[in-house]
Amino acid sequence: MPRLSDKIVLITGAAGAIGQAVVAAVKREGGVAIATDLAGRPGMDHALDVTAEDNWHSVLADVDRAHGRLDGLVNAAGIALLATIEDTDYAAWRRVLAVNLDGTFLGCKHALALLKRGGGAIVNLSSISGIVGGHNLTAYNASKGGVRLLTKSVALHGARLKPQVRCNSVHPAFLEGPMVDDILAQTGRPEIARSHLSRDIPLGRLGEPAEVADMCVYLLSDESSFVTGAEFIIDGGLTAR
């Protein structure tokens, strides 16, 4: 039997590499994937700016009308910025925090009304940058570290609900895809930077979005029914050092 049979799952950032992989995995496992991203992104079910509270109200109202419930939420929308504390201007700082942390907060807050109708699961995409720091990832570190502890707070609240709502975070290392390509481009020497990244990972390569999506499937499924408030690292052994 498919692992997500008939589960209704909303995915943010569904036009990104991880989001696309999660949408595909949810469908493969028998679920209904509701793909959302910024207006103008092709193939989306709904336009959703995760930083705009009225967008969340509108999209979730549509989900309610169409399905009457929500079984899962994957907060996958995110942006990255390569900059030290001295090089990060305030506008850029606020934008990274708005998308990565505020967007996750708004998703958790407003989706709970639908999730708690029958119980459900939230998966928040953090990063290993939410666990370990980088000298030139100031805003990204702060945003993803915030997602890590926000997840635990939501999990403890969700455990008190009837029915319960579980919440866990996923922490990938660098993955193949446009976000990493953009970060590498910011170094001015992308091929050299990619080589260094791969060499630093014990398994010797960057991760694949599908590998993160498979973890999300587990956390959305009933297989993880006793798992909440936890963090799942997918980094090829990078943080084991």
Side-chain angles (χ1 to χ4, degrees), residues 168-205:
N168 295 285
S169 58
V170 176
H171 300 256
F174 294 107
L175 306 174
E176 297 288 357
M179 180 179 285
V180 165
D181 290 343
D182 181 59
I183 291 174
L184 295 176
Q186 292 178 50
T187 68
R189 300 185 300 171
E191 292 308 317
I192 294 174
R194 177 181 290 274
S195 176
H196 287 170
L197 271 183
S198 298
R199 189 166 62 246
D200 286 344
I201 297 172
L203 290 184
R205 65 175 176 86

PDB file of all heavy atoms in Angstrom, residues 168-205:
ATOM      1  N   ASN A 168       8.418  18.060  12.788  1.00  0.00           N
ATOM      2  CA  ASN A 168       9.833  17.708  12.789  1.00  0.00           C
ATOM      3  C   ASN A 168      10.583  18.565  11.773  1.00  0.00           C
ATOM      4  O   ASN A 168       9.979  19.117  10.847  1.00  0.00           O
ATOM      5  CB  ASN A 168      10.011  16.224  12.437  1.00  0.00           C
ATOM      6  CG  ASN A 168       9.420  15.305  13.488  1.00  0.00           C
ATOM      7  OD1 ASN A 168       9.982  15.119  14.557  1.00  0.00           O
ATOM      8  ND2 ASN A 168       8.257  14.736  13.188  1.00  0.00           N
ATOM      9  N   SER A 169      11.893  18.654  11.942  1.00  0.00           N
ATOM     10  CA  SER A 169      12.707  19.426  11.001  1.00  0.00           C
ATOM     11  C   SER A 169      13.699  18.526  10.282  1.00  0.00           C
ATOM     12  O   SER A 169      14.181  17.525  10.830  1.00  0.00           O
ATOM     13  CB  SER A 169      13.445  20.560  11.718  1.00  0.00           C
ATOM     14  OG  SER A 169      14.266  20.079  12.757  1.00  0.00           O
ATOM     15  N   VAL A 170      14.001  18.903   9.049  1.00  0.00           N
ATOM     16  CA  VAL A 170      14.959  18.174   8.216  1.00  0.00           C
ATOM     17  C   VAL A 170      16.116  19.116   7.910  1.00  0.00           C
ATOM     18  O   VAL A 170      15.907  20.286   7.566  1.00  0.00           O
ATOM     19  CB  VAL A 170      14.290  17.677   6.919  1.00  0.00           C
ATOM     20  CG1 VAL A 170      15.312  17.005   6.017  1.00  0.00           C
ATOM     21  CG2 VAL A 170      13.159  16.701   7.256  1.00  0.00           C
ATOM     22  N   HIS A 171      17.336  18.597   8.028  1.00  0.00           N
ATOM     23  CA  HIS A 171      18.541  19.428   7.942  1.00  0.00           C
ATOM     24  C   HIS A 171      19.493  18.882   6.879  1.00  0.00           C
ATOM     25  O   HIS A 171      20.433  18.149   7.196  1.00  0.00           O
ATOM     26  CB  HIS A 171      19.241  19.471   9.305  1.00  0.00           C
ATOM     27  CG  HIS A 171      18.395  20.046  10.393  1.00  0.00           C
ATOM     28  ND1 HIS A 171      18.573  21.327  10.885  1.00  0.00           N
ATOM     29  CD2 HIS A 171      17.331  19.538  11.070  1.00  0.00           C
ATOM     30  CE1 HIS A 171      17.665  21.569  11.816  1.00  0.00           C
ATOM     31  NE2 HIS A 171      16.901  20.502  11.956  1.00  0.00           N
ATOM     32  N   PRO A 172      19.280  19.270   5.626  1.00  0.00           N
ATOM     33  CA  PRO A 172      20.189  18.796   4.575  1.00  0.00           C
ATOM     34  C   PRO A 172      21.491  19.594   4.564  1.00  0.00           C
ATOM     35  O   PRO A 172      21.547  20.750   4.984  1.00  0.00           O
ATOM     36  CB  PRO A 172      19.408  19.057   3.280  1.00  0.00           C
ATOM     37  CG  PRO A 172      18.039  19.511   3.690  1.00  0.00           C
ATOM     38  CD  PRO A 172      18.162  20.040   5.080  1.00  0.00           C
ATOM     39  N   ALA A 173      22.536  18.956   4.036  1.00  0.00           N
ATOM     40  CA  ALA A 173      23.736  19.677   3.637  1.00  0.00           C
ATOM     41  C   ALA A 173      23.468  20.242   2.246  1.00  0.00           C
ATOM     42  O   ALA A 173      22.322  20.271   1.777  1.00  0.00           O
ATOM     43  CB  ALA A 173      24.931  18.732   3.628  1.00  0.00           C
ATOM     44  N   PHE A 174      24.509  20.701   1.569  1.00  0.00           N
ATOM     45  CA  PHE A 174      24.336  21.254   0.234  1.00  0.00           C
ATOM     46  C   PHE A 174      23.836  20.180  -0.726  1.00  0.00           C
ATOM     47  O   PHE A 174      24.342  19.054  -0.744  1.00  0.00           O
ATOM     48  CB  PHE A 174      25.663  21.833  -0.263  1.00  0.00           C
ATOM     49  CG  PHE A 174      26.103  23.030   0.530  1.00  0.00           C
ATOM     50  CD1 PHE A 174      27.159  22.942   1.422  1.00  0.00           C
ATOM     51  CD2 PHE A 174      25.433  24.233   0.402  1.00  0.00           C
ATOM     52  CE1 PHE A 174      27.559  24.048   2.156  1.00  0.00           C
ATOM     53  CE2 PHE A 174      25.820  25.348   1.141  1.00  0.00           C
ATOM     54  CZ  PHE A 174      26.891  25.258   2.017  1.00  0.00           C
ATOM     55  N   LEU A 175      22.829  20.549  -1.514  1.00  0.00           N
ATOM     56  CA  LEU A 175      22.209  19.634  -2.459  1.00  0.00           C
ATOM     57  C   LEU A 175      22.390  20.125  -3.881  1.00  0.00           C
ATOM     58  O   LEU A 175      22.518  21.326  -4.125  1.00  0.00           O
ATOM     59  CB  LEU A 175      20.704  19.521  -2.179  1.00  0.00           C
ATOM     60  CG  LEU A 175      20.259  19.144  -0.774  1.00  0.00           C
ATOM     61  CD1 LEU A 175      18.739  19.223  -0.683  1.00  0.00           C
ATOM     62  CD2 LEU A 175      20.745  17.747  -0.404  1.00  0.00           C
ATOM     63  N   GLU A 176      22.361  19.206  -4.813  1.00  0.00           N
ATOM     64  CA  GLU A 176      22.362  19.583  -6.213  1.00  0.00           C
ATOM     65  C   GLU A 176      21.097  20.391  -6.505  1.00  0.00           C
ATOM     66  O   GLU A 176      20.002  20.023  -6.080  1.00  0.00           O
ATOM     67  CB  GLU A 176      22.402  18.343  -7.108  1.00  0.00           C
ATOM     68  CG  GLU A 176      23.653  17.490  -6.962  1.00  0.00           C
ATOM     69  CD  GLU A 176      24.889  18.148  -7.569  1.00  0.00           C
ATOM     70  OE1 GLU A 176      24.767  19.238  -8.158  1.00  0.00           O
ATOM     71  OE2 GLU A 176      25.982  17.562  -7.435  1.00  0.00           O
ATOM     72  N   GLY A 177      21.238  21.507  -7.206  1.00  0.00           N
ATOM     73  CA  GLY A 177      20.071  22.303  -7.549  1.00  0.00           C
ATOM     74  C   GLY A 177      20.381  23.777  -7.644  1.00  0.00           C
ATOM     75  O   GLY A 177      21.506  24.220  -7.352  1.00  0.00           O
ATOM     76  N   PRO A 178      19.392  24.571  -8.029  1.00  0.00           N
ATOM     77  CA  PRO A 178      19.606  26.000  -8.275  1.00  0.00           C
ATOM     78  C   PRO A 178      20.102  26.791  -7.062  1.00  0.00           C
ATOM     79  O   PRO A 178      20.887  27.726  -7.225  1.00  0.00           O
ATOM     80  CB  PRO A 178      18.213  26.487  -8.713  1.00  0.00           C
ATOM     81  CG  PRO A 178      17.544  25.270  -9.252  1.00  0.00           C
ATOM     82  CD  PRO A 178      18.047  24.140  -8.425  1.00  0.00           C
ATOM     83  N   MET A 179      19.648  26.446  -5.840  1.00  0.00           N
ATOM     84  CA  MET A 179      20.078  27.225  -4.679  1.00  0.00           C
ATOM     85  C   MET A 179      21.579  27.111  -4.475  1.00  0.00           C
ATOM     86  O   MET A 179      22.279  28.113  -4.275  1.00  0.00           O
ATOM     87  CB  MET A 179      19.342  26.801  -3.413  1.00  0.00           C
ATOM     88  CG  MET A 179      19.771  27.601  -2.179  1.00  0.00           C
ATOM     89  SD  MET A 179      18.917  27.154  -0.659  1.00  0.00           S
ATOM     90  CE  MET A 179      17.319  27.908  -0.937  1.00  0.00           C
ATOM     91  N   VAL A 180      22.107  25.908  -4.535  1.00  0.00           N
ATOM     92  CA  VAL A 180      23.545  25.717  -4.371  1.00  0.00           C
ATOM     93  C   VAL A 180      24.299  26.322  -5.550  1.00  0.00           C
ATOM     94  O   VAL A 180      25.367  26.930  -5.372  1.00  0.00           O
ATOM     95  CB  VAL A 180      23.885  24.220  -4.203  1.00  0.00           C
ATOM     96  CG1 VAL A 180      25.373  23.971  -4.398  1.00  0.00           C
ATOM     97  CG2 VAL A 180      23.476  23.744  -2.811  1.00  0.00           C
ATOM     98  N   ASP A 181      23.741  26.173  -6.745  1.00  0.00           N
ATOM     99  CA  ASP A 181      24.379  26.796  -7.912  1.00  0.00           C
ATOM    100  C   ASP A 181      24.517  28.304  -7.708  1.00  0.00           C
ATOM    101  O   ASP A 181      25.547  28.905  -8.051  1.00  0.00           O
ATOM    102  CB  ASP A 181      23.568  26.522  -9.178  1.00  0.00           C
ATOM    103  CG  ASP A 181      23.635  25.066  -9.614  1.00  0.00           C
ATOM    104  OD1 ASP A 181      24.545  24.349  -9.149  1.00  0.00           O
ATOM    105  OD2 ASP A 181      22.774  24.651 -10.413  1.00  0.00           O
ATOM    106  N   ASP A 182      23.481  28.918  -7.130  1.00  0.00           N
ATOM    107  CA  ASP A 182      23.518  30.358  -6.890  1.00  0.00           C
ATOM    108  C   ASP A 182      24.555  30.712  -5.825  1.00  0.00           C
ATOM    109  O   ASP A 182      25.310  31.682  -5.971  1.00  0.00           O
ATOM    110  CB  ASP A 182      22.133  30.847  -6.463  1.00  0.00           C
ATOM    111  CG  ASP A 182      22.104  32.345  -6.215  1.00  0.00           C
ATOM    112  OD1 ASP A 182      22.411  33.100  -7.151  1.00  0.00           O
ATOM    113  OD2 ASP A 182      21.786  32.761  -5.091  1.00  0.00           O
ATOM    114  N   ILE A 183      24.613  29.928  -4.762  1.00  0.00           N
ATOM    115  CA  ILE A 183      25.602  30.168  -3.705  1.00  0.00           C
ATOM    116  C   ILE A 183      27.017  30.033  -4.267  1.00  0.00           C
ATOM    117  O   ILE A 183      27.893  30.859  -4.005  1.00  0.00           O
ATOM    118  CB  ILE A 183      25.396  29.192  -2.531  1.00  0.00           C
ATOM    119  CG1 ILE A 183      24.101  29.511  -1.790  1.00  0.00           C
ATOM    120  CG2 ILE A 183      26.580  29.246  -1.562  1.00  0.00           C
ATOM    121  CD1 ILE A 183      23.748  28.507  -0.715  1.00  0.00           C
ATOM    122  N   LEU A 184      27.229  28.995  -5.057  1.00  0.00           N
ATOM    123  CA  LEU A 184      28.550  28.778  -5.639  1.00  0.00           C
ATOM    124  C   LEU A 184      28.926  29.913  -6.590  1.00  0.00           C
ATOM    125  O   LEU A 184      30.085  30.345  -6.637  1.00  0.00           O
ATOM    126  CB  LEU A 184      28.598  27.436  -6.368  1.00  0.00           C
ATOM    127  CG  LEU A 184      28.432  26.186  -5.485  1.00  0.00           C
ATOM    128  CD1 LEU A 184      28.397  24.936  -6.342  1.00  0.00           C
ATOM    129  CD2 LEU A 184      29.543  26.093  -4.449  1.00  0.00           C
ATOM    130  N   ALA A 185      27.943  30.406  -7.328  1.00  0.00           N
ATOM    131  CA  ALA A 185      28.199  31.511  -8.257  1.00  0.00           C
ATOM    132  C   ALA A 185      28.637  32.766  -7.506  1.00  0.00           C
ATOM    133  O   ALA A 185      29.443  33.558  -8.017  1.00  0.00           O
ATOM    134  CB  ALA A 185      26.951  31.795  -9.094  1.00  0.00           C
ATOM    135  N   GLN A 186      28.099  32.938  -6.280  1.00  0.00           N
ATOM    136  CA  GLN A 186      28.454  34.112  -5.487  1.00  0.00           C
ATOM    137  C   GLN A 186      29.915  34.099  -5.045  1.00  0.00           C
ATOM    138  O   GLN A 186      30.466  35.140  -4.684  1.00  0.00           O
ATOM    139  CB  GLN A 186      27.551  34.218  -4.257  1.00  0.00           C
ATOM    140  CG  GLN A 186      26.095  34.525  -4.576  1.00  0.00           C
ATOM    141  CD  GLN A 186      25.237  34.559  -3.319  1.00  0.00           C
ATOM    142  OE1 GLN A 186      25.558  35.214  -2.337  1.00  0.00           O
ATOM    143  NE2 GLN A 186      24.129  33.839  -3.347  1.00  0.00           N
ATOM    144  N   THR A 187      30.567  32.938  -5.093  1.00  0.00           N
ATOM    145  CA  THR A 187      31.971  32.861  -4.705  1.00  0.00           C
ATOM    146  C   THR A 187      32.888  33.411  -5.796  1.00  0.00           C
ATOM    147  O   THR A 187      34.054  33.722  -5.535  1.00  0.00           O
ATOM    148  CB  THR A 187      32.400  31.409  -4.419  1.00  0.00           C
ATOM    149  OG1 THR A 187      32.399  30.645  -5.644  1.00  0.00           O
ATOM    150  CG2 THR A 187      31.478  30.759  -3.400  1.00  0.00           C
ATOM    151  N   GLY A 188      32.386  33.497  -7.024  1.00  0.00           N
ATOM    152  CA  GLY A 188      33.207  33.942  -8.149  1.00  0.00           C
ATOM    153  C   GLY A 188      34.025  32.828  -8.773  1.00  0.00           C
ATOM    154  O   GLY A 188      34.587  32.992  -9.861  1.00  0.00           O
ATOM    155  N   ARG A 189      34.089  31.682  -8.110  1.00  0.00           N
ATOM    156  CA  ARG A 189      34.832  30.516  -8.623  1.00  0.00           C
ATOM    157  C   ARG A 189      33.996  29.259  -8.365  1.00  0.00           C
ATOM    158  O   ARG A 189      34.369  28.407  -7.546  1.00  0.00           O
ATOM    159  CB  ARG A 189      36.193  30.410  -7.943  1.00  0.00           C
ATOM    160  CG  ARG A 189      37.094  31.629  -8.158  1.00  0.00           C
ATOM    161  CD  ARG A 189      38.474  31.407  -7.557  1.00  0.00           C
ATOM    162  NE  ARG A 189      38.405  31.158  -6.126  1.00  0.00           N
ATOM    163  CZ  ARG A 189      39.439  30.759  -5.387  1.00  0.00           C
ATOM    164  NH1 ARG A 189      40.615  30.537  -5.953  1.00  0.00           N
ATOM    165  NH2 ARG A 189      39.301  30.567  -4.081  1.00  0.00           N
ATOM    166  N   PRO A 190      32.855  29.137  -9.056  1.00  0.00           N
ATOM    167  CA  PRO A 190      31.896  28.079  -8.725  1.00  0.00           C
ATOM    168  C   PRO A 190      32.430  26.657  -8.844  1.00  0.00           C
ATOM    169  O   PRO A 190      32.115  25.808  -8.000  1.00  0.00           O
ATOM    170  CB  PRO A 190      30.748  28.332  -9.707  1.00  0.00           C
ATOM    171  CG  PRO A 190      31.323  29.183 -10.787  1.00  0.00           C
ATOM    172  CD  PRO A 190      32.380  30.007 -10.140  1.00  0.00           C
ATOM    173  N   GLU A 191      33.230  26.361  -9.863  1.00  0.00           N
ATOM    174  CA  GLU A 191      33.714  24.988 -10.030  1.00  0.00           C
ATOM    175  C   GLU A 191      34.693  24.613  -8.926  1.00  0.00           C
ATOM    176  O   GLU A 191      34.663  23.482  -8.416  1.00  0.00           O
ATOM    177  CB  GLU A 191      34.352  24.824 -11.409  1.00  0.00           C
ATOM    178  CG  GLU A 191      33.363  24.916 -12.562  1.00  0.00           C
ATOM    179  CD  GLU A 191      32.182  23.974 -12.386  1.00  0.00           C
ATOM    180  OE1 GLU A 191      32.399  22.803 -11.985  1.00  0.00           O
ATOM    181  OE2 GLU A 191      31.028  24.402 -12.636  1.00  0.00           O
ATOM    182  N   ILE A 192      35.545  25.541  -8.563  1.00  0.00           N
ATOM    183  CA  ILE A 192      36.485  25.283  -7.463  1.00  0.00           C
ATOM    184  C   ILE A 192      35.719  25.125  -6.150  1.00  0.00           C
ATOM    185  O   ILE A 192      36.007  24.229  -5.351  1.00  0.00           O
ATOM    186  CB  ILE A 192      37.514  26.424  -7.361  1.00  0.00           C
ATOM    187  CG1 ILE A 192      38.406  26.440  -8.600  1.00  0.00           C
ATOM    188  CG2 ILE A 192      38.354  26.289  -6.087  1.00  0.00           C
ATOM    189  CD1 ILE A 192      39.356  27.606  -8.664  1.00  0.00           C
ATOM    190  N   ALA A 193      34.734  25.984  -5.942  1.00  0.00           N
ATOM    191  CA  ALA A 193      33.930  25.898  -4.722  1.00  0.00           C
ATOM    192  C   ALA A 193      33.171  24.583  -4.653  1.00  0.00           C
ATOM    193  O   ALA A 193      33.077  23.967  -3.578  1.00  0.00           O
ATOM    194  CB  ALA A 193      32.956  27.074  -4.665  1.00  0.00           C
ATOM    195  N   ARG A 194      32.631  24.125  -5.781  1.00  0.00           N
ATOM    196  CA  ARG A 194      31.911  22.842  -5.805  1.00  0.00           C
ATOM    197  C   ARG A 194      32.852  21.693  -5.449  1.00  0.00           C
ATOM    198  O   ARG A 194      32.488  20.783  -4.692  1.00  0.00           O
ATOM    199  CB  ARG A 194      31.290  22.611  -7.185  1.00  0.00           C
ATOM    200  CG  ARG A 194      30.573  21.268  -7.333  1.00  0.00           C
ATOM    201  CD  ARG A 194      30.000  21.106  -8.724  1.00  0.00           C
ATOM    202  NE  ARG A 194      28.878  22.017  -8.921  1.00  0.00           N
ATOM    203  CZ  ARG A 194      27.624  21.741  -8.568  1.00  0.00           C
ATOM    204  NH1 ARG A 194      27.335  20.580  -7.988  1.00  0.00           N
ATOM    205  NH2 ARG A 194      26.663  22.606  -8.790  1.00  0.00           N
ATOM    206  N   SER A 195      34.048  21.736  -5.988  1.00  0.00           N
ATOM    207  CA  SER A 195      35.037  20.694  -5.697  1.00  0.00           C
ATOM    208  C   SER A 195      35.372  20.660  -4.214  1.00  0.00           C
ATOM    209  O   SER A 195      35.458  19.590  -3.598  1.00  0.00           O
ATOM    210  CB  SER A 195      36.299  20.932  -6.523  1.00  0.00           C
ATOM    211  OG  SER A 195      37.294  19.993  -6.191  1.00  0.00           O
ATOM    212  N   HIS A 196      35.543  21.845  -3.620  1.00  0.00           N
ATOM    213  CA  HIS A 196      35.847  21.919  -2.189  1.00  0.00           C
ATOM    214  C   HIS A 196      34.688  21.384  -1.351  1.00  0.00           C
ATOM    215  O   HIS A 196      34.907  20.666  -0.361  1.00  0.00           O
ATOM    216  CB  HIS A 196      36.142  23.368  -1.796  1.00  0.00           C
ATOM    217  CG  HIS A 196      37.474  23.853  -2.289  1.00  0.00           C
ATOM    218  ND1 HIS A 196      37.851  25.170  -2.228  1.00  0.00           N
ATOM    219  CD2 HIS A 196      38.518  23.202  -2.853  1.00  0.00           C
ATOM    220  CE1 HIS A 196      39.063  25.310  -2.738  1.00  0.00           C
ATOM    221  NE2 HIS A 196      39.486  24.135  -3.127  1.00  0.00           N
ATOM    222  N   LEU A 197      33.463  21.743  -1.743  1.00  0.00           N
ATOM    223  CA  LEU A 197      32.285  21.265  -1.018  1.00  0.00           C
ATOM    224  C   LEU A 197      32.225  19.739  -1.029  1.00  0.00           C
ATOM    225  O   LEU A 197      32.020  19.098   0.009  1.00  0.00           O
ATOM    226  CB  LEU A 197      31.011  21.827  -1.648  1.00  0.00           C
ATOM    227  CG  LEU A 197      30.471  23.159  -1.162  1.00  0.00           C
ATOM    228  CD1 LEU A 197      29.164  23.475  -1.889  1.00  0.00           C
ATOM    229  CD2 LEU A 197      30.270  23.169   0.334  1.00  0.00           C
ATOM    230  N   SER A 198      32.355  19.164  -2.200  1.00  0.00           N
ATOM    231  CA  SER A 198      32.268  17.707  -2.329  1.00  0.00           C
ATOM    232  C   SER A 198      33.363  17.019  -1.531  1.00  0.00           C
ATOM    233  O   SER A 198      33.133  15.978  -0.895  1.00  0.00           O
ATOM    234  CB  SER A 198      32.369  17.301  -3.806  1.00  0.00           C
ATOM    235  OG  SER A 198      31.299  17.832  -4.549  1.00  0.00           O
ATOM    236  N   ARG A 199      34.565  17.593  -1.553  1.00  0.00           N
ATOM    237  CA  ARG A 199      35.686  17.000  -0.833  1.00  0.00           C
ATOM    238  C   ARG A 199      35.481  17.054   0.678  1.00  0.00           C
ATOM    239  O   ARG A 199      35.940  16.169   1.413  1.00  0.00           O
ATOM    240  CB  ARG A 199      36.977  17.713  -1.227  1.00  0.00           C
ATOM    241  CG  ARG A 199      38.238  17.031  -0.707  1.00  0.00           C
ATOM    242  CD  ARG A 199      39.500  17.557  -1.373  1.00  0.00           C
ATOM    243  NE  ARG A 199      39.699  18.983  -1.116  1.00  0.00           N
ATOM    244  CZ  ARG A 199      39.647  19.909  -2.069  1.00  0.00           C
ATOM    245  NH1 ARG A 199      39.373  19.583  -3.321  1.00  0.00           N
ATOM    246  NH2 ARG A 199      39.856  21.181  -1.766  1.00  0.00           N
ATOM    247  N   ASP A 200      34.772  18.071   1.152  1.00  0.00           N
ATOM    248  CA  ASP A 200      34.540  18.213   2.590  1.00  0.00           C
ATOM    249  C   ASP A 200      33.501  17.235   3.126  1.00  0.00           C
ATOM    250  O   ASP A 200      33.432  17.001   4.334  1.00  0.00           O
ATOM    251  CB  ASP A 200      34.081  19.639   2.907  1.00  0.00           C
ATOM    252  CG  ASP A 200      35.218  20.649   2.826  1.00  0.00           C
ATOM    253  OD1 ASP A 200      36.386  20.211   2.823  1.00  0.00           O
ATOM    254  OD2 ASP A 200      34.930  21.857   2.755  1.00  0.00           O
ATOM    255  N   ILE A 201      32.671  16.691   2.254  1.00  0.00           N
ATOM    256  CA  ILE A 201      31.623  15.759   2.673  1.00  0.00           C
ATOM    257  C   ILE A 201      32.180  14.345   2.691  1.00  0.00           C
ATOM    258  O   ILE A 201      32.696  13.863   1.673  1.00  0.00           O
ATOM    259  CB  ILE A 201      30.397  15.854   1.730  1.00  0.00           C
ATOM    260  CG1 ILE A 201      29.789  17.263   1.814  1.00  0.00           C
ATOM    261  CG2 ILE A 201      29.360  14.793   2.076  1.00  0.00           C
ATOM    262  CD1 ILE A 201      28.699  17.532   0.795  1.00  0.00           C
ATOM    263  N   PRO A 202      32.109  13.637   3.816  1.00  0.00           N
ATOM    264  CA  PRO A 202      32.693  12.294   3.893  1.00  0.00           C
ATOM    265  C   PRO A 202      32.230  11.335   2.801  1.00  0.00           C
ATOM    266  O   PRO A 202      33.030  10.516   2.335  1.00  0.00           O
ATOM    267  CB  PRO A 202      32.257  11.817   5.290  1.00  0.00           C
ATOM    268  CG  PRO A 202      32.222  13.075   6.090  1.00  0.00           C
ATOM    269  CD  PRO A 202      31.674  14.113   5.154  1.00  0.00           C
ATOM    270  N   LEU A 203      30.984  11.422   2.379  1.00  0.00           N
ATOM    271  CA  LEU A 203      30.517  10.545   1.305  1.00  0.00           C
ATOM    272  C   LEU A 203      30.957  11.033  -0.076  1.00  0.00           C
ATOM    273  O   LEU A 203      30.669  10.389  -1.085  1.00  0.00           O
ATOM    274  CB  LEU A 203      28.999  10.386   1.352  1.00  0.00           C
ATOM    275  CG  LEU A 203      28.455   9.572   2.529  1.00  0.00           C
ATOM    276  CD1 LEU A 203      26.942   9.398   2.412  1.00  0.00           C
ATOM    277  CD2 LEU A 203      29.121   8.195   2.616  1.00  0.00           C
ATOM    278  N   GLY A 204      31.610  12.190  -0.134  1.00  0.00           N
ATOM    279  CA  GLY A 204      32.270  12.613  -1.350  1.00  0.00           C
ATOM    280  C   GLY A 204      31.401  13.210  -2.434  1.00  0.00           C
ATOM    281  O   GLY A 204      31.826  13.314  -3.585  1.00  0.00           O
ATOM    282  N   ARG A 205      30.208  13.652  -2.090  1.00  0.00           N
ATOM    283  CA  ARG A 205      29.320  14.236  -3.091  1.00  0.00           C
ATOM    284  C   ARG A 205      28.286  15.117  -2.428  1.00  0.00           C
ATOM    285  O   ARG A 205      28.083  15.056  -1.213  1.00  0.00           O
ATOM    286  CB  ARG A 205      28.589  13.143  -3.886  1.00  0.00           C
ATOM    287  CG  ARG A 205      27.625  12.289  -3.034  1.00  0.00           C
ATOM    288  CD  ARG A 205      26.846  11.308  -3.878  1.00  0.00           C
ATOM    289  NE  ARG A 205      25.999  10.426  -3.087  1.00  0.00           N
ATOM    290  CZ  ARG A 205      24.749  10.725  -2.699  1.00  0.00           C
ATOM    291  NH1 ARG A 205      24.218  11.899  -3.025  1.00  0.00           N
ATOM    292  NH2 ARG A 205      24.040   9.858  -1.995  1.00  0.00           N
TER     293      ARG A 205
END
